[in-house]
């Protein structure tokens, strides 16, 4: 008989996107394409499309605790991620549940502002990510504005990116990726700072497109998937970058604004998925 719970399983703890391009929807699509069974704790529900976030509402603490319990009671989660967490109360709830249950390595995507400009977490919530939740992170994945907020400094050069990454690591996150998607340089540069102190750049040509809704979610979910399948931290990060690059490059025409990524693209362009994760 096949061993129960032997299939790789992962968890996303985040907000939904009714428009299907970001948040939990992007996470589930990514994990599915990466060959991992995905589960979700819904922290908040957004009314959202590619034009922006029209509204959002966080779920009650009771409902969130029950989702964590349900997942813990039935699944063998090998890796997890957090995304939109709404406010300080919910950051604290997530922190408490991640202390209570072992869901494997945590990829913390410190989601703050949506591409359209809507704030997805309160200032107090950000402060708590900074002072508390980041201590549980195996990998933290801020974009540039998020890194500036977490490191409490301006980032205007590549050397400043490294200084910021070190400051963020000092908050307690073991490994740090400062994502370089925001900006207009010809080359997109993501900086990786590993727990060992090793750092390196992941460079790729900037793809000229406004269809970049959910890039951060897709990157972090591909990393989580790879970790759930047993990859090392470095292997998982390198895989995540390849997955998101393919998803941005091969656009699909959906929606009228910041369109979603093509989550099928990596598997359509690579025949070696199983060798690589
Ligand atoms: N135009 C682009 N061309 C190539 N790669 C990109 C582009 N935009 C983003 N990326 C890549 O996508 C990943 C996510 O980076 P980004 O800085 O967009 O994160 P983010 O702002 O958190 O995303 P989001 O908030 O949309 O979920 C990174 O690996 C980055 O290099
Ligand atoms: C529920 C949810 N989570 C995350 C994002 C960030 O994605 P983006 O910056 O591409 O809008 C989002 N818009 N909605």
């Amino acid at each position: 008989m096949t061993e129960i719970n032997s299939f790789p399983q992962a968890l996303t703890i985040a907000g939904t996107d009714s428009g299907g391009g970001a948040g939990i929807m992007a996470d589930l699509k990514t994990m599915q394409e990466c060959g991992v069974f995905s589960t979700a704790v819904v922290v908040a529900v957004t009314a959202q499309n590619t034009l922006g976030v029209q509204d959002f509402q966080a779920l009650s603490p009771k409902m969130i605790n029950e989702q964590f319990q349900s997942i813990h009671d039935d699944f063998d989660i090998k890796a997890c991620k957090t995304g939109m967490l709404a406010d300080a109360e919910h950051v604290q709830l997530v922190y408490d549940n991640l202390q209570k249950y072992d869901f494997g390595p945590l990829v913390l995507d410190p989601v703050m502002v949506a591409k359209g400009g809507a704030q997805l977490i309160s200032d107090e919530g950000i402060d708590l990510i900074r002072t508390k939740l980041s201590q549980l992170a195996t990998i933290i994945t801020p974009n540039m504005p998020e890194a500036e907020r977490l490191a409490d400094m301006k980032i205007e050069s590549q050397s400043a990116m490294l200084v910021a990454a070190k400051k963020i690591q000092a908050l307690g996150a073991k490994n740090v990726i400062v994502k370089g998607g925001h900006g207009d340089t010809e080359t997109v540069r993501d900086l990786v700072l590993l727990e060992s102190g090793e750092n390196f750049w992941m460079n790729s040509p900037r793809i000229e497109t406004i269809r970049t809704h959910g890039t951060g979610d897709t990157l972090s979910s591909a990393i989580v998937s790879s970790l759930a399948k047993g990859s090392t931290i470095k292997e998982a990060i390198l895989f995540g970058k390849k997955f998101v690059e393919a998803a941005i490059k091969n656009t699909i025409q959906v929606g009228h604004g910041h369109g979603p990524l093509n989550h099928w693209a990596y598997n359509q362009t690579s025949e070696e998925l199983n060798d690589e994760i």
Side-chain angles (χ1 to χ4, degrees):
M1 202 173 82
T2 317
E3 197 191 324
I4 294 172
N5 272 331
S6 63
F7 196 85
Q9 296 150 57
L11 166 64
T12 171
I13 304 155
T16 63
D17 171 4
S18 53
I24 285 179
M25 281 61 173
D27 297 336
L28 303 186
K29 290 172 187 181
T30 302
M31 291 177 190
Q32 181 78 12
E33 284 299 306
C34 291
V36 167
F37 182 84
S38 50
T39 63
V41 167
V42 179
V43 173
V45 175
T46 71
Q48 183 174 181
N49 53 29
T50 66
L51 300 170
V53 179
Q54 288 78 47
D55 201 2
F56 78 77
Q57 189 175 343
L59 270 65
S60 70
K62 178 170 174 286
M63 198 59 223
I64 290 169
N65 287 333
E66 283 174 354
Q67 292 178 79
F68 273 107
Q69 175 90 53
S70 300
I71 288 165
H72 166 262
D73 288 351
D74 197 23
F75 301 97
D76 185 10
I77 303 297
K78 289 284 190 273
C80 63
K81 68 156 276 188
T82 55
M84 174 190 178
L85 297 179
D87 55 31
E89 183 187 19
H90 289 82
V91 175
Q92 181 67 49
L93 267 173
V94 168
Y95 178 85
D96 292 342
N97 278 285
L98 289 175
Q99 292 281 64
K100 187 169 172 191
Y101 305 119
D102 180 6
F103 293 128
L106 165 67
V107 180
L108 196 172
D109 185 0
V111 173
M112 296 182 194
V113 179
K115 283 266 151 60
Q119 181 119 10
L120 298 176
I121 185 166
S122 65
D123 286 341
E124 296 74 20
I126 298 173
D127 290 340
L128 212 55
I129 287 181
R130 202 171 167 270
T131 55
K132 222 165 178 184
L133 193 60
S134 59
Q135 292 169 17
L136 304 185
T138 308
I139 308 175
I140 191 166
T141 63
N143 62 26
M144 291 284 240
E146 290 160 355
E148 288 189 337
R149 177 68 162 83
L150 293 174
D152 194 21
M153 62 180 275
K154 272 266 158 228
I155 303 177
E156 278 160 347
S157 65
Q158 286 185 52
S159 55
M161 257 170 112
L162 182 57
V163 174
K166 287 182 177 166
K167 287 180 82 172
I168 294 166
Q169 197 175 48
L171 297 173
K174 291 193 176 70
N175 303 277
V176 183
I177 307 174
V178 181
K179 298 173 292 192
H182 294 239
D184 53 11
T185 50
E186 265 182 38
T187 303
V188 180
R189 296 184 209 281
D190 296 350
L191 172 67
V192 181
L193 174 61
L194 297 178
E195 192 175 6
S196 62
E198 175 191 350
N199 65 77
F200 60 92
W201 294 89
M202 298 194 295
N203 297 334
S204 56
R206 180 174 300 279
I207 301 154
E208 278 311 321
T209 176
I210 60 155
R211 300 182 174 278
T212 53
H213 183 45
T215 47
D217 303 301
T218 301
L219 174 71
S220 55
S221 291
I223 294 172
V224 166
S225 301
S226 191
L227 291 174
K229 293 178 100 171
S231 299
T232 64
I233 302 284
K234 194 168 174 177
E235 285 166 351
I237 291 171
L238 294 171
F239 167 73
K241 177 69 180 173
K242 280 195 278 184
F243 187 94
V244 76
E245 206 183 338
I248 301 169
K249 205 188 266 175
N250 300 278
T251 51
I252 48 171
Q253 304 299 309
V254 172
H256 299 85
H258 288 286
L261 306 189
N262 176 352
H263 291 101
W264 297 285
Y266 182 83
N267 286 333
Q268 284 171 351
T269 54
S270 166
E271 291 161 9
E272 292 147 6
L273 177 70
N274 289 322
D275 295 335
E276 291 178 2
I277 52 176

